[in-house]
Amino acid sequence: MTGAAIDLRGIGRVHEDATRVVALDGIDLEVPTGRFVSIIGPSGCGKSTLLRIVAGLEEPDAGEVTVCGTTPREAAEQKRLGLVPQQPALLPWLTVLDNVSLPAKVNRRHNREPLPDMRELLRRAGLGDAVHQRPAQLSGGMRQRVAIVRAFGLQPDVLLLDEPFSALDEFTREAQQQQLLELWEERGATVLFVTHSILEAVRLSDSVVVMAPRPGRIVDVVDIDLPRPRTQELIRSPEFHAYELGLRERLRDAFEQNGVAS
Amino acid sequence: MKRVLHPAYWAPLAVLLVLLGVLWQVGADRMPYLLPPLPDVWSALTTDPGYFLHNSWVTLREALLGLLIGFVAAFALAILVSEVTLARRAVMPIAVVLNVTPLVAIAPALVVAFGFGSAPKLIITGLICFFPILINASVGLRSVPEPVLQVFQSVHASRWEVLRHLRIPGSLQYVFAALQIVFPLSVVGAVVAELSAAGSAAGLGSVIQVASSMNRLATVWAAIFVLALMGSLLLLLVTVVERRALRWHEPR
């Protein structure tokens, strides 16, 4: 196994519907173990498709995917993956504790012992009082946190998040980012984080992958050399803003190459 | 409960019932061959309560047993058609045709085939309950949102695990909606079967048939009222069970 937790080589994907849109074309990406990498890009650039391919939910039409040295499906079978979709995707009839414990009850053979104490993990995520509540009783932000705890609960090597905070208001979103970073710094995992927020990408990531649409491709990879933890002071610093502006420009370029007015 | 006891809650219904009762009495007075006077119906019920109790029990047992058979068969088939596309394509058209075929028309054929015992009654009741459960359960089993399925696919949950932990619990609210329809319907199935099996030994359907052939209208109506009560109680039972089972579904 190389140092790369996720290794994509020449990934191509054409949507099977009538449009035959080239969703992804010639994607090469290497995510080293333990890194937090964001994928940013306008709608339709194939960033979610890319995430689904890494998760083994979709097969690429060209190229090779390696996750932890195996195919995505094998990685899923060995429970090396944690997935956080756009909506929290919780089961409404289960309590918070039962929701986060359910992944450990399926495909038991490959549980990675010892599993963390879920109550403790929920408490750490600020959900200690909500353990026995049902999703309908929680706020949107709390639900998304439950989904993140559920993904961390299996001690995954690779955590895949698909715009998990996009439906939240700005204040909630910031608190969620903070908690995600805390959990990640404590538990460690390679993270692939899809977002369309520049601020979010700079704040969270070790490096940011910029994608452009038609066909979906990578136009740039920007390393964010900012110290951690990323405090409020740091977010207000000129260095942080420089990264934000730089990314904004790269994204605008990506648009203009396609002749789309931004 | 308090709300139910408030006059604003029950008064409109009570007034309408009294009004209907008065209309009934007026009608019975003028056209004794169409409607029996209500006191006659009451005395038909009370002079031989054992007779009605026994026949109600027979009908209720047929209804519930038939419902159970129909439920098990329909739910098992719903799992099959929701898991296997080929099975869905083969089974669903037949199920739809079966549903639009009037069961009242099939009943005599089944009586000829299976005699006057309980077999044709259970089959007809089972059949009448079968379709709503099949449709609702197969919709419910496929109602689990795609993101949820993806999360569990990413941890390699087996088909059985997805069925057990996601699909079956997710289908319950659909299944209960079907049960709301099917519990009262099971009584219909049982009575239709009894009516078609002329001369069958017992059941409220037979009571109605025998009494109407002898022009005893009061007894016919007594049996009808008992059936209405039975259906209502069954509906109440499902509603109470549903409230308990699906408590999570209510916001807070």
Side-chain angles (χ1 to χ4, degrees):
Chain A
M1 191 169 137
T2 58
I6 302 170
D7 194 1
L8 305 171
R9 291 196 189 282
I11 298 299
R13 175 92 180 116
V14 179
H15 278 318
E16 275 148 12
D17 55 16
T19 58
R20 305 289 301 165
V21 167
V22 180
L24 294 171
D25 188 34
I27 301 284
D28 292 308
L29 182 66
E30 216 173 277
V31 180
T33 304
R35 296 266 280 186
F36 196 123
V37 174
S38 290
I39 303 177
I40 195 167
S43 318
C45 70
K47 50 194 195 297
S48 290
T49 307
L50 193 61
L51 195 86
R52 278 204 298 278
I53 286 174
V54 176
L57 301 171
E58 226 175 283
E59 292 284 335
D61 296 312
E64 245 179 82
V65 198
T66 314
V67 179
C68 306
T70 62
T71 65
R73 286 198 186 200
E74 280 165 347
E77 193 179 341
Q78 291 161 18
K79 289 192 148 176
R80 288 163 171 276
L81 302 180
L83 179 69
V84 180
Q86 222 161 329
Q87 301 98 35
L90 304 175
L91 302 174
W93 57 86
L94 293 182
T95 63
V96 165
L97 184 62
D98 289 338
N99 257 296
V100 297
S101 309
L102 191 52
K105 289 182 187 145
V106 304
N107 187 14
R108 279 165 180 276
R109 208 152 44 90
H110 289 98
N111 274 350
R112 330 186 75 192
E113 307 291 347
L115 286 171
D117 178 4
M118 280 302 185
R119 283 169 190 273
E120 176 62 16
L121 207 55
L122 284 169
R123 204 182 54 75
R124 211 85 60 79
L127 291 162
D129 296 333
V131 168
H132 296 298
Q133 289 187 312
R134 290 178 210 279
Q137 294 166 277
L138 306 180
S139 69
M142 288 168 92
R143 269 179 241 168
Q144 198 54 271
R145 241 180 295 160
V146 175
I148 289 171
V149 169
R150 175 174 63 185
F152 267 112
L154 290 170
Q155 317 254 47
D157 293 327
V158 172
L159 198 60
L160 305 167
L161 302 100
D162 188 4
E163 300 189 26
F165 306 140
S166 61
L168 304 177
D169 65 77
E170 192 138 345
F171 292 110
T172 317
R173 180 187 267 249
E174 258 183 48
Q176 304 282 311
Q177 291 166 354
Q178 185 59 40
Q179 264 175 335
L180 174 62
L181 283 180
E182 279 166 18
L183 271 173
W184 172 67
E185 275 156 21
E186 186 187 300
R187 302 258 141 201
T190 309
V191 176
L192 198 60
F193 188 98
V194 169
T195 180
H196 53 228
S197 158
I198 295 171
L199 176 76
E200 189 167 83
V202 177
R203 180 174 186 205
L204 297 175
S205 318
D206 294 317
S207 62
V208 179
V209 176
V210 182
M211 289 186 71
R214 274 161 287 168
R217 65 198 185 279
I218 294 175
V219 290
D220 208 352
V221 179
V222 181
D223 285 334
I224 311 289
D225 289 318
L226 292 173
R228 289 183 189 273
R230 308 253 163 102
T231 56
Q232 285 297 320
E233 265 161 52
L234 187 74
I235 292 170
R236 284 192 291 268
S237 70
E239 293 90 341
F240 192 96
H241 279 292
Y243 277 118
E244 257 190 286
L245 283 177
L247 273 178
R248 201 170 292 277
E249 226 137 82
R250 296 303 296 135
L251 277 167
R252 193 178 307 135
D253 290 349
F255 261 105
E256 275 163 10
Q257 280 168 23
N258 286 285
V260 182
S262 52
Chain B
M1 249 352 243
K2 235 177 202 167
R3 204 163 57 97
V4 182
L5 294 179
H6 196 272
Y9 198 87
W10 52 262
L13 176 64
V15 169
L16 186 60
L17 279 179
V18 169
L19 198 67
L20 284 174
V22 170
L23 277 175
W24 180 296
Q25 279 306 105
V26 171
D29 219 33
R30 305 211 164 168
M31 308 166 283
Y33 292 102
L34 292 183
L35 285 176
L38 285 175
D40 288 9
V41 176
W42 181 249
S43 67
L45 262 178
T46 45
T47 45
D48 196 356
Y51 175 69
F52 279 97
L53 219 56
H54 167 69
N55 284 297
S56 304
W57 171 240
V58 170
T59 302
L60 185 65
R61 204 182 44 199
E62 287 166 1
L64 291 182
L65 264 178
L67 173 67
L68 184 70
I69 294 167
F71 179 83
V72 171
F75 200 74
L77 198 62
I79 288 174
L80 181 73
V81 300
S82 68
E83 290 287 311
V84 187
T85 313
L86 282 179
R88 177 160 65 244
R89 288 188 191 142
V91 169
M92 289 318 268
I94 298 175
V96 170
V97 170
L98 188 67
N99 183 48
V100 298
T101 310
L103 278 171
V104 187
I106 304 177
L110 288 175
V111 171
V112 170
F114 296 99
F116 295 100
S118 57
K121 286 145 199 162
L122 296 185
I123 294 172
I124 290 165
T125 310
L127 278 176
I128 214 168
C129 298
F130 180 80
F131 195 74
I133 296 169
L134 175 68
I135 291 298
N136 274 36
S138 62
V139 170
L141 287 166
R142 279 182 287 150
S143 70
V144 180
E146 195 57 33
V148 178
L149 292 176
Q150 289 180 350
V151 167
F152 284 86
Q153 207 177 328
S154 76
V155 292
H156 209 260
S158 69
R159 230 166 151 167
W160 160 245
E161 285 164 341
V162 170
L163 188 66
R164 192 193 139 197
H165 292 295
L166 309 181
R167 293 194 190 276
I168 290 179
S171 74
L172 282 189
Q173 81 188 88
Y174 293 81
V175 170
F176 269 108
L179 289 182
Q180 296 255 18
I181 300 169
V182 145
F183 258 76
L185 210 55
S186 67
V187 179
V188 175
V191 171
V192 163
E194 286 166 3
L195 286 175
S196 325
S200 63
L204 288 172
S206 319
V207 169
I208 289 173
Q209 205 175 37
V210 171
S212 63
S213 69
M214 300 194 302
N215 242 349
R216 279 162 38 201
L217 262 187
T219 308
V220 172
W221 278 100
I224 292 172
F225 282 131
V226 172
L227 283 170
L229 185 68
M230 193 189 289
S232 310
L233 289 178
L234 287 177
L235 187 59
L236 186 69
L237 177 75
V238 196
T239 312
V240 169
V241 173
E242 182 185 20
R243 287 243 174 99
R244 301 211 149 237
L246 301 183
R247 204 176 288 169
W248 58 268
H249 194 235
E250 288 165 40
R252 253 162 233 269

